Amino acid sequence: MRSSPEITLPVRLDRSGTDPLPAQLAGRLRELVTADVLAPGDTLPSTRALAVHLGVSRGTVLAAYDQLLAEGYLSAAAGRSTVVNPQLRRVHPHPPRAHRPLPPEPTPAYDLRPGRPWAEEVTGPAWRTAWRQASAAPVGGPVPVLGLPALRSAWSEHLRRMRAVVRDPAQIAVTGGGREGFALVLLARAGARPLRVAVEEPGYPSLRRVPARFGATVVPLPVDEHGLRVADLPGGRAAPDVLLVTPSHQYPLGGSLPVDRRQALLEWARRNHVLIVEDDYDSELRYTSQPLPALAALDDPVEGNVALLGTLSKTLTPALGMGFLALPATLVPAVAAARHDLGQPVGAVAQQAIAHYLAAGALRLHTQRMRNRYRRRRAQVTAALADTPGVRVYPMDGGLHAVVQTRRPEAEVVAALAAAGVLVSPLSEYWSGAGQRQGIVFGFGALTERELAEAMSLVAPEVGLNRL
Amino acid sequence: MRSSPEITLPVRLDRSGTDPLPAQLAGRLRELVTADVLAPGDTLPSTRALAVHLGVSRGTVLAAYDQLLAEGYLSAAAGRSTVVNPQLRRVHPHPPRAHRPLPPEPTPAYDLRPGRPWAEEVTGPAWRTAWRQASAAPVGGPVPVLGLPALRSAWSEHLRRMRAVVRDPAQIAVTGGGREGFALVLLARAGARPLRVAVEEPGYPSLRRVPARFGATVVPLPVDEHGLRVADLPGGRAAPDVLLVTPSHQYPLGGSLPVDRRQALLEWARRNHVLIVEDDYDSELRYTSQPLPALAALDDPVEGNVALLGTLSKTLTPALGMGFLALPATLVPAVAAARHDLGQPVGAVAQQAIAHYLAAGALRLHTQRMRNRYRRRRAQVTAALADTPGVRVYPMDGGLHAVVQTRRPEAEVVAALAAAGVLVSPLSEYWSGAGQRQGIVFGFGALTERELAEAMSLVAPEVGLNRL
């Protein structure tokens, strides 16, 4: 037992605080017990002594002790001192520590990792107005599981105008971004046995990790320069349950699935009862010609097989964490049930803000500006690599990234660039198995003209044959 | 083949639009093919005729046709008319339909379903200021997987002040609400075999559905009036992987786990390597006395077994879809890896807004006001049921809901109240198996004094013995 706890008790009460004094005192004493400053069996000051010490009424101390007696922290027998409950086992000592600030993210000179759009023009007047309107609106009970009606209607209209896809607002589900939407569809489709989920090879590593997290088997399917090789799709018992595909702009190689392959793909999906998840991540950014309508535009909107996965990550910013699913009508109940069980992670204010932003036409205007911007950046990349021997630059009809196949081993290129302060992704990472090509994938969306020029002056010499 | 497609083509171009005319024309023709208005083999107008018809240059029509030829929608042989590609299989006809508005949610006269706080005072000046500041901030690359540092620091500070839990900001993960956070922890903990997840019986049905969605086995464990019966916890091979528990305010029965049970629970978890998920959903709303510190406060912050699940659903509004996890340091890497794979569903603007709101002390002030409000509502409920024979009203030391055990069969009570326009939840729903009690659970948080008085004047006669 420690000596004289009466004197050393480190208790301070805040008379200007909102909590009543007995509650403050009880809370502080509880902390001292929890933190092992007061140990089981330790004697507490008498109520009178502590009241004098703290300059409060004895009733205040009595109330605090009573509370802690009721909670089992303290114990007292008639006529004896109040003690810390001797039955209270000692727990690990864990005194409060000063907060360590989170370590800052390292900032490379040129972050060319793919998938980052130019976001500096996002926060314009239309953006601020949308959020101001949204934050002034009442926030009542839970948000409807598939999203606010206004936002679902806005996405429905967006799809019709931009992607030639006609879907009722009731067929739209608001998501917390592409991966969250993919996860939702997978959970809606899950059954007794693990799902088999086919993905493109090469493909987007980020989305490929989602089914693996849910215990699904991931089956890579080959692509060529036009996208998924539809003629080679496995049928019958070898068919997957779900196929993730990027028909508009194959990621990362850039092909656009021709219309005959699209229709064969839909026919295959119908025959084999495969759910196609169309990752429509950046089709609005195509700048050399109009994009094909989405695959979903060819599908039956009621009984069809295509769930279109939309996101604002590329057209606006990945920091928003927002997207949507456009579903065949027959799939809506299963997705709503999954959402009901797991909750809608996108809050009402964000949903209202984006509904305002879309309804005001601000996304279309922003996309138009960005398309022009990215077209100029692409020309810069093409020019910078034009005289570099021994590299293959994949066609860039849109989007935010370039794929450069190198003869020089990619690990060397990536490391040399990192040493020069330029972060890029290795091309081989987009393959899960064999057949990998060597090269780099880099984004050119998030840089100014000048930054990109500087970065390319570092990239071009490293990827060229002269460094072999 | 249809006659005279030249004349009937329903094409209108928008000269004031942002898209160039050839792109508009190509898009419109593509839609007509997709919608089966133009079928494979149909002849298209000559470029000259269509140019005259539309009042555009022939070059515009040529460019559109070229685009569609390249895409495979059209085909042309030298010297012949351009036709819709005969190889293009017909797809299901699915003409665009007028959008059906989403059906409005039915609005009962008195929605007393539990879990709805009083949200009308949320959207005050502090709220609007927080969102205005957040929407003015730049939104760049992806949000850090566990959340923005400012918000994680604010939650860390909140936990320390309100719940006596000392956790570094690095141990906080931002979540899209309680269920989203629970799902994240389960995915972080998942291994080769399905998880066994123990829950309280009775317990919160909403959270109980989450592990079932992920293929986990859900094991109900009995509670008594003090909460989980810790002495009866299964050990050894029978121990679950994860235990979901509400120590501060057992849901729905209201018990608060005494400190000796808390310490025995932690000891059991350590011995059996169980991850305890502490659902701390409304402890800040306790209004009869200070709440006990969170269970996590007794746990080792580094090597411990408790993940605290926080949410703003009860203290602010469920419409926000926002919460957090406070994790033992050793669990952070697994949670970060799961988040890395699945994405952070809470956007940067919402995170910044709540960080501002917390840092301004606005949540504490709001909680204080709500505590007073709910205390008055509780008194109203108690008074309204005081003279009702044959009912047991469970103690309400805090929170937003009341539990009333009835002798009258609950199905009758719920149906009679629904007929009178009062929505409540049946008590038996909180059990997954045997041992159900009959009664009703209803919320009193979201009503005005007058509304609650009116509702209680309908509830009291229906639950009483006089209706048996």
Side-chain angles (χ1 to χ4, degrees), chain B residues 233-260:
Chain B
L233 289 175
R237 296 173 61 95
D241 302 296
V242 176
L243 166 66
L244 175 69
V245 66
T246 52
S248 294
H249 189 208
Q250 203 279 326
Y251 197 85
L253 300 184
S256 176
L257 207 61
V259 74
D260 55 336

Side-chain angles (χ1 to χ4, degrees), chain B residues 260-279:
Chain B
D260 55 336
R261 283 202 198 182
R262 289 173 183 238
Q263 294 187 331
L265 176 59
L266 290 175
E267 179 58 33
W268 167 84
R270 268 194 293 277
R271 212 168 42 235
N272 294 289
H273 309 288
V274 178
L275 175 66
I276 296 179
V277 178
E278 177 178 19
D279 179 14

Side-chain angles (χ1 to χ4, degrees), chain A residues 337-431:
Chain A
R339 197 49 117 193
H340 175 73
D341 286 358
L342 297 170
Q344 168 61 261
V346 184
V349 180
Q351 291 198 38
Q352 281 179 330
I354 299 306
H356 286 305
Y357 190 80
L358 289 170
L363 179 63
R364 277 202 311 281
L365 282 175
H366 179 78
T367 303
Q368 183 68 37
R369 278 200 306 271
M370 291 304 111
R371 231 185 259 136
N372 294 332
R373 182 179 190 92
Y374 299 144
R375 189 187 293 119
R376 294 194 299 271
R377 292 288 167 279
R378 178 195 65 150
Q380 236 186 302
V381 169
T382 309
L385 296 175
D387 299 328
T388 309
V391 302
R392 175 180 168 192
V393 182
Y394 284 76
M396 293 176 279
D397 297 328
L400 303 165
H401 69 275
V403 176
V404 176
Q405 198 172 335
T406 59
R407 290 199 222 160
R408 191 178 174 207
E410 72 176 21
E412 271 184 48
V413 178
V414 172
L417 288 174
V422 182
L423 284 194
V424 301
S425 292
L427 178 57
S428 66
E429 267 187 8
Y430 295 76
W431 276 261

Side-chain angles (χ1 to χ4, degrees), chain B residues 5-7 9 29 38 43-50 61 65 82:
Chain B
E6 292 85 347
I7 300 167
L9 271 186
L29 292 173
L38 284 172
T43 303
L44 267 83
S46 71
T47 51
R48 187 182 311 268
L50 188 54
V61 181
Y65 280 21
T82 303

Side-chain angles (χ1 to χ4, degrees), chain B residues 214-387:
Chain B
F214 294 118
T217 307
V218 178
V219 185
L221 297 176
V223 304
D224 61 22
E225 70 273 26
H226 300 299
L228 190 67
R229 279 161 49 186
V230 173
D232 299 341
L233 289 175
R237 296 173 61 95
D241 302 296
V242 176
L243 166 66
L244 175 69
V245 66
T246 52
S248 294
H249 189 208
Q250 203 279 326
Y251 197 85
L253 300 184
S256 176
L257 207 61
V259 74
D260 55 336
R261 283 202 198 182
R262 289 173 183 238
Q263 294 187 331
L265 176 59
L266 290 175
E267 179 58 33
W268 167 84
R270 268 194 293 277
R271 212 168 42 235
N272 294 289
H273 309 288
V274 178
L275 175 66
I276 296 179
V277 178
E278 177 178 19
D279 179 14
D280 200 44
Y281 63 102
D282 76 349
S283 53
E284 292 96 336
L285 296 178
R286 194 180 179 93
Y287 32 66
T288 56
S289 58
Q290 285 288 97
L292 285 178
L295 180 65
L298 298 173
D299 193 38
D300 185 298
V302 177
E303 309 265 333
N305 294 72
V306 179
L308 183 144
L309 194 61
T311 172
L312 286 171
S313 287
K314 304 294 186 293
T315 44
L316 216 51
T317 164
L320 202 56
M322 194 171 282
F324 65 91
L325 280 163
L327 301 161
T330 47
L331 190 58
V332 172
V335 170
R339 197 47 120 194
H340 176 72
D341 286 358
L342 296 171
Q344 168 59 262
V346 184
V349 181
Q351 291 198 39
Q352 281 180 328
I354 299 304
H356 286 305
Y357 189 80
L358 289 171
L363 179 63
R364 277 203 310 281
L365 281 175
H366 180 78
T367 303
Q368 183 68 35
R369 278 200 306 272
M370 292 302 111
R371 232 185 258 137
N372 294 332
R373 181 178 189 93
Y374 299 144
R375 189 188 292 118
R376 293 194 299 272
R377 293 287 167 280
R378 178 194 66 150
Q380 237 187 301
V381 169
T382 309
L385 296 175
D387 299 328

